[in-house]
Amino acid sequence: MSSYPCAVFPEEIEPFVQSIRAYQVADIGSKSWIEQHEVLQKLCQQAFIEASTKQEEVVKEYLILEDKIPLLIHELYSVLVWRTEVLPRLLALRNPDATFLLYSVLYHEANVCSLLETVLYHRTVCEALGSNALDLIDYCAQAISRLIALLANGYNDREDDPPPEELLNESTSEEIVRLGRGMDFRIGIKSLGILSYLVDGLDLLPLSAATRLVRIHDFPCLLAEILHTKPWLRRNRDGVFEKYRNASWVPAHGDALVKVTETEAQTWICLYRLLFNGELMRDYELNGYRRREISKCVGLMNDQLLDQLPALIPLKQHLCTLQLSHDTGGGSGTSASFLLEELPEVRERLVQAARRTGWDKIVENQRKIFIDLEEHDVVEMAKRIGAAYNTDLLERYTDQEESKRKQEAAEGAAVKVCGNCGAVATKKCSNCLHVYYCSRDCQVKDWSDHKEFCRQLK
């Protein structure tokens, strides 16, 4: 018998997976939708336990066997359409008394995204996507673009960690908007992982997938922008560097600061696979703008990165060549054109169904669910969803890793060593405020190696 706890008993996994069905935008918040929300939350937890403990991944197998992977894409888009078309109309009516139910819908999208990220590690799941891979590529492009926009507006600098006085004074509508931006950040990070698995399994996807990756969405430039914005690194209000690992921000001191996060590594490897895929590049017009944007990444490829990801050394050489080459074009942009080409359909079908029902009618019906609530309704629903969100059974698998991180952080905070000679140091670089030195001489000697890293940290 396995000693691992479970979010779903083994005999429940198959009926849980079989119960998943496609819900329309108008159905969100209904009793049956809430039940499916609970099911998907438990399946996501179970899939995480199975993957992290190297058990047989039963959830993944049943999702493929029952052909439910495409329904997960449908679930992503149903919430995405709801929060872009319905949520603003609901918030315009009046401030909701409780934000818990509205937040549970936002969380549903992130939860399904997390489940997909977990199971897409396996190439068999990529194959099971079928034509819905095109919809998932479009979804990732939108999510990553929103992530770039958040960072451009200073999200990691201030919005992710607002001061207490702002939280006390914000209305419930403002709270939902803030929580929505937080979900956009989480979903954007998860979408980078999903994209890396899709590119890795590109040979199993429809032929049109390659076209959408490079000609429709220009993922090489999108990834180059992500690498420059560094969503996985921030400095908190106390001036301490933090890195985003396993869906949370953890302090990064000493060597931990230069350790590559999983998302950062996936983004670099994904860019490498795109640029070194001959079939893709034949269909990618490498004009002057794209050449400049992509080749700028060479400035980020320092020794610390290449020591941890030596497979990227050919990528650095390739980017250096791009910097030196003239704008002669890397592809005609027409070699992979098709007379007949598959197009994504999920979002369009959802929007058409909602229009037939009528946005005003949907808002009026959902007003009774999310806005005009009796207190006992809120308490009952909070108990149900709160039980599904219970993550106590996951803690034993994350406690050990968390303790290790805290120990590394404590060790880094307790002893400051010279960046040049390794002796105990009390002075730090006035530019990046991170690397310490025991003397001015050591700082001068180390400058040739430190200057690029210093510039990036600042």
Side-chain angles (χ1 to χ4, degrees), residues 371-427:
I371 305 297
D372 300 333
L373 285 167
E374 299 293 335
E375 184 175 351
H376 67 274
D377 294 328
V378 177
V379 173
E380 181 182 351
M381 196 62 69
K383 287 179 179 178
R384 285 192 62 180
I385 298 179
Y389 288 175
N390 184 8
T391 57
D392 289 345
L393 57 90
L394 302 179
E395 288 182 357
R396 69 184 64 185
Y397 303 111
T398 56
D399 280 349
Q400 185 176 0
E401 186 175 351
E402 187 66 24
S403 298
K404 183 179 178 182
R405 286 200 213 104
K406 289 180 178 179
Q407 183 179 357
E408 289 176 350
E411 290 173 353
V415 180
K416 307 301 183 184
V417 297
C418 178
N420 181 57
C421 68
V424 176
T426 57
K427 301 176 182 179

Side-chain angles (χ1 to χ4, degrees), residues 21-41 74-76 78-80 82 100-109 112 366 369-370 381 384-385 389:
R21 68 180 184 88
Y23 281 90
Q24 298 299 321
V25 177
D27 299 324
I28 290 178
S30 65
K31 182 179 178 181
S32 57
W33 184 90
I34 291 292
E35 289 173 352
Q36 178 155 298
H37 173 67
E38 296 173 4
V39 164
L40 287 173
Q41 171 66 16
H74 179 97
E75 285 295 289
L76 285 179
S78 66
V79 177
L80 180 60
W82 179 87
F100 187 82
L101 291 176
L102 290 170
Y103 178 76
S104 69
V105 181
L106 302 179
Y107 186 81
H108 184 75
E109 183 182 355
V112 175
Q366 294 192 355
I369 300 173
F370 295 109
M381 196 62 69
R384 285 192 62 180
I385 298 179
Y389 288 175

